[in-house]
């Protein structure tokens, strides 16, 4: 079974550009979580999505950040007009059912804003 | 505000020694997970505990969930260099959808 896949693994953007991060959940999983990990900090929850539905976006910054999980295709985390402070590792995790206490992580996308 | 506090933050021990990592909170969790993360990779789920007082063993690793479901510990017996990594605890409160992660314990096992 393929695990959670994320691409790209590394992404470099200049200030003001857009970053698109993709996440394909494990086979049979229809729930996706996005997290951000800053150096010296733990993983911070951003958003929880089910296909075509945002369940909880309370951890997402109100501006410039958006997420979607369409009926077909991967989940996308979109960051508009990136700033240096957006540089971090972004991880997605998937679970099989809603409110499952087991989630499986992808390898992450390391975003560097220059 | 950090919901889950892990201690110690850093730990360096010799191969063969035993160690315990703690994960504490003032909040009650419906479940608690332990992960291990290696540099440049995502966290890998080690175990989930859901019942207060529960103890789970995974080879040389022993996980315990506190009776009040507010804290947990990870004990490693006879540590090996392959155990080196960042150990993260994560908890899911009784209400809400979020998982809250601790800041992690960075373990180095010296051969």
């Amino acid at each position: 079974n393929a695990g959670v896949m994320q691409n790209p693994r590394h992404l470099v953007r200049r200030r003001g550009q857009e970053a698109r991060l993709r996440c394909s959940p494990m086979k049979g999983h229809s729930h996706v979580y996005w997290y951000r990990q800053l150096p010296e900090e733990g993983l911070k929850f951003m958003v929880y999505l089910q296909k075509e539905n945002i369940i909880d976006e309370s951890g997402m910054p109100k501006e410039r950040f958006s997420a979607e999980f369409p009926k077909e295709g991967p989940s996308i985390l979109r960051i508009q007009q990136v700033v240096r402070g957006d540089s971090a590792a972004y991880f997605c995790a998937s679970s099989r059912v809603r409110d499952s206490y087991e989630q499986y992580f992808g390898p992450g996308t390391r975003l560097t804003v220059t | 505000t950090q919901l889950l506090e892990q201690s110690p933050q850093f730990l360096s021990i010799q191969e063969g020694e035993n160690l315990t990592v703690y994960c504490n909170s003032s909040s009650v969790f419906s479940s608690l997970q332990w992960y291990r993360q290696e540099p440049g990779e995502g966290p890998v789920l080690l175990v989930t505990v859901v019942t207060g007082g529960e103890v789970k063993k995974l080879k040389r690793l022993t996980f315990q969930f506190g009776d009040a479901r507010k804290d947990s510990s990870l004990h490693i017996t006879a540590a090996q260099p392959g155990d080196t990594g960042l150990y993260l605890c994560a908890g899911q409160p009784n209400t809400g959808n979020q998982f809250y992660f601790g800041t992690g314990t960075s373990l180095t096992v010296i051969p």
Side-chain angles (χ1 to χ4, degrees):
Chain A
N1 283 333
V4 178
M5 299 176 67
Q6 289 188 249
N7 67 81
R9 292 293 306 270
H10 300 274
L11 182 62
V12 179
R13 285 286 178 266
R14 290 199 179 99
R15 277 182 299 172
Q17 290 185 319
E18 178 180 288
R20 280 185 181 237
L21 288 62
R22 287 176 289 278
C23 169
S24 296
M26 285 180 70
K27 187 176 180 180
H29 287 195
S30 58
H31 299 262
V32 165
Y33 301 78
W34 284 95
Y35 294 85
R36 177 164 63 177
Q37 188 174 40
L38 292 165
E40 307 303 322
E41 292 187 20
L43 283 154
K44 301 293 186 190
F45 167 82
M46 298 181 74
V47 63
Y48 169 33
L49 309 106
Q50 190 182 3
K51 280 190 181 287
E52 299 184 283
N53 192 21
I54 297 174
I55 306 295
D56 184 345
E57 57 181 347
S58 58
M60 193 108 90
K62 293 287 186 283
E63 297 178 353
R64 302 187 299 108
F65 285 72
S66 62
E68 63 176 8
F69 190 13
K71 187 177 180 181
E72 300 292 336
S75 175
I76 306 256
L77 178 66
R78 183 181 176 207
I79 311 173
Q80 295 178 289
Q81 299 175 324
V82 295
V83 300
R84 288 224 173 102
D86 296 332
S87 295
Y90 292 83
F91 292 95
C92 83
S94 72
S95 65
R96 190 172 58 84
V97 297
R98 180 170 182 158
D99 298 332
S100 169
Y101 49 71
E102 291 195 345
Q103 49 182 327
Y104 297 88
F105 281 81
T109 294
R110 272 117 192 112
L111 172 66
T112 302
V113 180
T114 61
Chain B
T1 302
Q2 190 67 33
L3 203 62
L4 283 165
E5 297 285 346
Q6 284 188 242
S7 62
Q9 190 175 356
F10 298 96
L11 189 56
S12 181
I13 62 170
Q14 294 291 131
E15 181 176 0
E17 291 184 350
N18 302 332
L19 67 114
T20 302
V21 175
Y22 299 94
C23 176
N24 296 304
S25 177
S26 57
S27 301
V28 176
F29 293 95
S30 61
S31 69
L32 197 139
Q33 295 79 39
W34 283 94
Y35 294 83
R36 188 164 77 99
Q37 184 179 21
E38 298 195 20
E41 298 297 329
V44 175
L45 179 65
L46 296 175
V47 77
T48 299
V49 286
V50 297
T51 305
E54 182 177 2
V55 176
K56 279 193 174 178
K57 292 193 175 184
L58 186 66
K59 296 183 181 178
R60 294 176 295 100
L61 278 61
T62 302
F63 304 87
Q64 186 164 9
F65 200 12
D67 291 340
R69 293 188 291 143
K70 293 183 179 180
D71 52 77
S72 181
S73 64
L74 158 60
H75 182 80
I76 301 179
T77 303
Q80 299 176 1
D83 296 328
T84 293
L86 179 68
Y87 288 82
L88 297 163
C89 65
Q92 190 175 32
N94 287 332
T95 58
N97 302 294
Q98 290 194 30
F99 285 84
Y100 293 89
F101 278 80
T103 49
T105 294
S106 179
L107 172 65
T108 302
V109 181
I110 303 166

